[in-house]
């Protein structure tokens, strides 16, 4: 079964063909960071327009790279939400038109479900597992008991961790997206030069909060002086900030695994491509006999292969027909 996945929820126009829910035949992604980096963050109107410019070529390339024709596609899976309304609409309407023209079924997929199941693009993980989905829009902990069986354990009460990386980078005059830039800078910095606050909220809570950390960095940048009166470099600040974020993410993931009595964890979403987070999580969770795995960086950030694989499994559970295509609507705040 050939599934064409289409993803346009934020600032990546992506299409991918996945065969039988496991063989990735193509994975095409057209990014827009050069457009948004001018503004230090994603500009929704510009993102929607760029999706319109790219969607046709991206979908066409995905099918071509898979050595197929559009008529060979058996199912189209498209991100329905959550995301930027204008961006979602481009992918959804393109997918609707394609489904109509090809007379093929269309299934709407929750973007978060894509991130939660992205690990299956490279390995089959046994259920249940605890997933930390951490990106520019979300910082969520889920217990995953099977495809379609997700139980939310905790989420951010304010900023997402990726958003915090992006905003801190912007305050430091660094380009968007901030995550990869901060990670690179942090490699040469001293992560113990200053202690930024770690917000664990009340005891037992699996929720997150990153807005206090962001404000703390903002205030620190006014003088850059640590408690010993030493002026910190960008690299030091990046390293201290990154350590504060990873401490909280890994700490909460560990607590979630313990609470659920689950010994498998997956970290996914754009921030999961962060090497320091990966190393820290592996060290800390393995110490507690919890196995942790991560999708490859290309499957951590937004992509359509994860939408195709989620679509495949959802379709197996509840097949849809062409009629479904006309009822689908984009939902900017779609819940899982
Ligand atoms: O999953 P994603 O591609 O899009 C959303 O659904 O948001 O995640 C993008 C986010 C951005 O905030 C970006 O700064 C962050 O992931 N990110 C990183 C790294 N690579 C991307 N954050 C920290 N370290 C990285 N290496
Ligand atoms: Zn995402």
């Amino acid at each position: 079964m050939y599934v064409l996945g289409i993803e346009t929820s934020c600032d990546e126009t992506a299409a991918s063909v996945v065969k039988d829910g496991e063989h990735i035949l193509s994975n095409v992604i057209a990014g827009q960071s050069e457009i948004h980096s001018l503004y230090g963050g994603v500009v929704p109107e510009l993102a929607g327009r760029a999706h319109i410019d790219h969607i046709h070529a991206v979908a066409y390339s995905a099918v071509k790279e898979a050595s197929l024709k559009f008529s060979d596609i058996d199912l189209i899976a498209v991100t329905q939400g959550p995301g930027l309304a204008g961006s979602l609409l481009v992918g959804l309407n393109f997918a609707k038109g394609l489904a109509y023209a090809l007379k093929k079924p269309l299934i709407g997929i929750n973007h978060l479900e894509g991130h939660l199941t992205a690990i299956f693009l490279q390995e089959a993980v046994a259920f249940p597992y605890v997933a930390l989905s951490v990106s520019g829009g979300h910082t969520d902990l889920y217990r995953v008991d099977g495809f379609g069986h997700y139980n939310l354990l905790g989420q951010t009460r304010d900023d997402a961790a990726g958003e915090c990386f992006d905003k801190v980078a912007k305050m430091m005059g660094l380009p968007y997206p901030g995550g990869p830039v901060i990670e690179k800078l942090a490699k040469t910095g001293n992560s113990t030069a200053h202690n930024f606050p770690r917000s664990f909220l009340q005891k037992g809570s699996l929720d997150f909060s990153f807005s206090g950390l962001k404000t703390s960095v903002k205030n620190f940048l006014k003088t850059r002086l640590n408690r010993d009166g030493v002026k910190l470099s960008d690299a030091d600040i990046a390293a201290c900030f990154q350590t504060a974020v990873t401490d909280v993410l890994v700490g909460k993931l560990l607590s979630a695994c313990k609470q659920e009595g689950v010994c498998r964890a997956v970290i996914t979403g754009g921030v999961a491509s962060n090497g320091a987070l990966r190393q820290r999580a592996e060290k800390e969770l393995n110490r507690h006999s919890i196995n942790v795995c991560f999708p490859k960086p290309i499957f951590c950030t937004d992509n359509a292969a994860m939408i195709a694989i989620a679509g495949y499994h959802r379709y197996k559970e509840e097949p849809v027909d062409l009629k479904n295509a006309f009822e689908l609507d984009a939902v900017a705040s779609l819940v899982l």
Side-chain angles (χ1 to χ4, degrees):
M1 182 176 185
Y2 295 113
V3 182
L4 172 66
I6 295 177
E7 152 67 38
T8 62
S9 66
C10 190
D11 62 340
E12 254 101 25
T13 316
S16 160
V17 178
V18 177
K19 186 183 175 195
D20 298 331
E22 53 182 332
H23 307 292
I24 304 156
L25 304 186
S26 62
N27 187 28
V28 180
I29 303 170
Q32 309 175 359
S33 6
E34 71 289 352
I35 298 175
H36 303 293
S37 62
L38 284 173
Y39 306 93
V42 177
V43 182
E45 175 66 22
L46 298 181
R49 285 169 191 267
H51 284 308
I52 294 173
D53 289 344
H54 293 140
I55 186 71
H56 188 271
V58 166
Y60 181 82
S61 304
V63 173
K64 193 165 177 232
E65 270 181 33
S67 305
L68 298 173
K69 301 187 289 298
F70 273 111
S71 54
D72 296 321
I73 299 297
D74 299 299
L75 171 71
I76 300 162
V78 64
T79 304
Q80 187 183 3
L84 302 171
S87 293
L88 289 165
L89 279 170
V90 177
L92 191 78
N93 284 318
F94 180 83
K96 274 187 180 180
L98 204 55
Y100 181 70
L102 301 173
K103 301 198 171 19
K104 293 292 161 74
L106 171 70
I107 197 159
I109 292 297
N110 187 306
H111 180 80
L112 304 177
E113 179 170 19
H115 278 305
L116 291 181
T117 54
I119 189 71
F120 286 87
L121 291 166
Q122 62 193 54
E123 64 185 276
V125 183
F127 298 112
Y129 58 85
V130 171
L132 170 65
S133 180
V134 65
S135 67
H138 305 272
T139 303
D140 302 323
L141 277 166
Y142 279 92
R143 179 188 169 110
V144 181
D145 283 296
F147 291 106
H149 301 277
Y150 314 108
N151 184 20
L152 182 65
L153 304 171
Q155 62 190 327
T156 183
R157 296 188 185 170
D158 39 57
D159 291 353
E163 184 183 1
C164 193
F165 267 97
D166 295 336
K167 287 181 175 165
V168 164
K170 191 176 177 184
M171 293 187 299
M172 293 172 70
L174 302 169
Y176 171 87
V181 188
I182 289 195
E183 178 179 9
K184 196 165 167 220
L185 257 180
K187 287 197 170 101
T188 55
N190 173 4
S191 64
T192 58
H194 181 69
N195 246 341
F196 285 117
R198 281 91 165 131
S199 171
F200 284 93
L201 302 170
Q202 63 272 43
K203 200 171 169 1
S205 170
L206 292 177
D207 281 349
F208 300 89
S209 168
F210 291 105
S211 62
L213 170 60
K214 185 185 64 187
T215 309
S216 171
V217 176
K218 188 175 178 209
N219 289 334
F220 187 80
L221 284 169
K222 289 177 191 157
T223 64
R224 294 175 166 252
L225 296 175
N226 72 2
R227 64 186 173 286
D228 301 323
V230 177
K231 200 162 191 142
L232 302 196
S233 65
D234 275 359
D236 293 334
I237 296 170
C240 297
F241 162 75
Q242 182 174 265
T243 307
V245 177
T246 47
D247 267 2
V248 175
L249 293 176
V250 174
K252 294 272 175 178
L253 176 58
L254 179 59
S255 303
C257 291
K258 284 185 179 166
Q259 176 192 294
E260 296 300 306
V262 166
C263 60
R264 279 173 296 273
V266 173
I267 309 186
T268 183
V271 181
S273 26
N274 185 286
L277 172 63
R278 288 173 176 244
Q279 274 173 16
R280 184 72 206 284
E282 237 159 27
K283 193 168 156 215
E284 197 63 28
L285 273 77
N286 290 351
R287 225 159 47 84
H288 290 83
S289 306
I290 297 164
N291 190 283
V292 60
C293 53
F294 320 84
K296 288 183 207 162
I298 189 74
F299 299 139
C300 281
T301 43
D302 288 350
N303 66 87
M306 68 183 192
I307 302 302
I309 199 171
Y312 171 84
H313 289 285
R314 193 153 276 265
Y315 187 74
K316 291 252 138 181
E317 284 203 1
E318 35 178 310
V320 290
D321 56 25
L322 182 56
K323 239 181 41 233
N324 185 58
F326 305 108
E327 284 155 21
L328 271 188
D329 211 351
V331 184
S333 53
L334 188 67
V335 288
L336 188 59

